[in-house]
Amino acid sequence: AEATAALAGCPAGDGPWRTALGLARSPELLGTLHALAEERAVACPENWEPSWAAGECRFRQRRPGDASSPYAEALRRAGAAGDPTGIACSANRLGWLAYQKGNLPESDARYREALAAALEARRPDLEAFVRNNLAGLLIETGDFATARSELALAETGLRELGLDGPARSAAFNGAIMLRQLGNALAARRALEALQAEAREAGDAELVDTALLSLGNLHLDRNEHAAATALYEQVSAQTPRLAVRAKLGLGRCALARGRFEEAERVLAEAAAAAAESAPLVASFAEVFRAEAEAHAGRPGPARERLERLIVDSDAAENAETGWFARWTLGKLLLAEGRPAEAEPPLTGAVAILDGQGASLNPLREGLHFLRSKADPYAELAAALTAQPAARADVGRLLAIAGRAQARALRYELSGGSGRVAAPDLDAIRGGLGRGELLLNYLLGEDRGVLLAVRSSGARAVPVAGMRALRGPLGRFRDALRRPVAPGTAGDADPEADRAAGETLRRELLLPVADWLGEAKRLYIVPDRDLALLPFSALPGVASGADRFLGDDVEVAFMPLAGAPRRGGGERAPVLLAGLPRLAPDSGFAPLPWAGYELSQLRELWGDGRTTLLTETALSLPRLREARMDSFRTLHFATHAEASTRDPQRCGVVLSAGERLGIDQIVDLPLDDALVVLSACRTGEGEVVPGEGVIGLGWAFLRAGASGIVVSQWTVDDAASARLMVAFHRHLRSGADPVRALALAGRETRRQRPEPAYWAPFVVLLRPA
């Protein structure tokens, strides 16, 4: 009563009305306040505040459609009076309403009008509200770089003002952006923290919002049962969240092959969202079209997608625009119509290129293609299926270059942003006789292999990750089983051999004629192929006991390019290892590390080596060692690997210290060869397009010419002997690729199982 009494004289500013709105928490009180606001709007025709308050009452009664008119009237009055506070309040809400209706250009214009007015009014609270809303729009339209900046300003401003509820909203938008960029781990952590905070604060709507978003994360990871359980927990009390949960349930049914159920649920979601959330309706329609096609109705599915593309372009909605084009292209490819699939897939890739262009690939852009890499592979597959287009390997290499190793390519460009595509002529000119480059570009359903040698180039179709994932996991388990006892119970020699044969057939036999003439392979892997030691695959030549590594030398490169020639002088050498570990460190002793380091020092000579062991193996001593003066750096110690969080990867030093990724990328390496003689140093987070983000990736960024890493837990004694043989061949003048191949063959004669001679691979930075 006191709050409404203060409104009788139409006071200036939004403060008195916000006080009353904060107290009117029931529908009845909001109705009373709405009647008062309308009465004051008539009595005070020049004041914007009553009209804005009438809109707020309707908005808070979950009647946003009825709020447009009073907000528009408030904006007109505020504009006439030149009142920036009124303009900010009204334009911000009108921007949100336009966004919900799918009118993204109108939403953008209103938000920017509101932000300019909030800055003019010197209202940090309004500024933060608008920035948060604008960031949500920018995420939807794919302008992630600007969205990140707006969110940082919004959340900081709201926290400083003590506005914890709106600050949680800004933090939620930040988590959604992390998911959109593909950083699922960081997004999940942020959402789980927000959910806990919202429960404690009694914010039921944000709890449901977090449940919905966590369900989406699980769906992204093909964890359909977990996603379904989360979607089913979303309350029906908030219709805009409930319809999004229904969309998620429809997607889960589609992923499980329940096409009729999926079509029904998605149609319900599209209908429910048509008026209140057109963007959700558009996504539901895309998935509905996919369900229709799988259910045997491809014609209606194509028509639905073509309409969606037109509507998305008209609304300037980049997200549904690329997604509908990609889905249409996929369906046309599945029907065996690659020429018709090419235009929509080209359009999808063009939109994604535009979205990613403004992102720093070393930071917010690192995970950008995690859930968006498939259109590139599908486009390459569509071209490869057309004889004339298949011959244009240069164009296919350019497509692969736009999808692969963006971060490293950016670094090689000196951070200029001018990232050149692979040059087919330069690659051919840089390959010697008997050398073959195999560049894989893999989508979920289809893949393409681009094979290049000095005398020519060709493109061939290969299987996608859906077909390769199972055999790849089985084969890797079989290879490492002798040194990884936890997998021994899964032993099945026939299944293991079948997995290896499947990989050989899908990855190598399409170019068997060229492989038969090759003496060295440069592999540019994609996705989980980066974890496959190709030298341990069954060889192309006949013989049950023949491996690919028996006949050819194998090196990996993170991106296509002319191979770097790594011969020449390899000294001076830094030998670092044998850390002093605390009893409770969790790491086992390394009895062979001392033997390994002493043998290498004897091999290279005291005057050409620097030795850091025991307490000298520390971050300060490494910084003092002038890393740019060494041609070879050899670490014989433990390593930490994480397939979920690259920041947990590191080289173990003494006294609990570690050389992590953040320290590695700042090392002043000058084309040095880095050897990581430790377990699992080649593992990390597999990011589509970027390969394995881990220790090897970090050393390449720091300027190393090549890295020798292990792809599983290694046997201490066998690894020490292999490393001594590797350095002996380096000392004799062999380049790292040949030296590792020769060392592996020597080790195999003593320990035939690939677990002992195949885990180490060499990763080269292209010239």
Side-chain angles (χ1 to χ4, degrees), residues 297-352:
R297 293 183 294 279
R302 289 195 302 272
E303 293 173 3
R304 188 180 305 280
L305 290 168
E306 287 164 355
R307 289 196 302 271
L308 283 167
I309 290 170
V310 172
D311 293 343
S312 297
D313 291 349
E316 298 182 18
N317 186 349
E319 281 297 293
T320 56
W322 80 259
F323 192 61
R325 285 176 168 87
W326 171 47
T327 304
L328 178 58
K330 280 197 304 181
L331 297 183
L332 289 166
L333 269 179
E335 294 178 47
R337 301 160 69 174
E340 295 174 60
E342 181 185 344
L345 290 170
T346 300
V349 165
I351 293 173
L352 293 174

Side-chain angles (χ1 to χ4, degrees), residues 325-403:
R325 285 176 168 87
W326 171 47
T327 304
L328 178 58
K330 280 197 304 181
L331 297 183
L332 289 166
L333 269 179
E335 294 178 47
R337 301 160 69 174
E340 295 174 60
E342 181 185 344
L345 290 170
T346 300
V349 165
I351 293 173
L352 293 174
D353 284 344
Q355 288 184 331
S358 61
L359 300 175
N360 184 330
L362 301 178
R363 291 195 292 272
E364 67 271 12
L366 182 58
H367 297 79
F368 173 68
L369 285 182
R370 176 186 287 283
S371 60
K372 303 177 177 71
D374 265 23
Y376 293 86
E378 300 279 3
L379 175 57
L383 295 170
T384 304
Q386 303 173 63
R390 181 171 62 242
D392 191 354
V393 179
R395 181 184 177 190
L396 290 165
L397 270 172
I399 293 169
R402 286 147 64 189

Side-chain angles (χ1 to χ4, degrees), residues 44 66 70 319 509 513 566 636 692:
C44 310
D66 296 337
E319 281 297 293
L509 290 190
D513 53 338
V692 179

Side-chain angles (χ1 to χ4, degrees), residues 83-94:
D83 189 328
T85 298
I87 294 172
C89 290
S90 306
N92 182 41
R93 284 301 199 202
L94 287 170

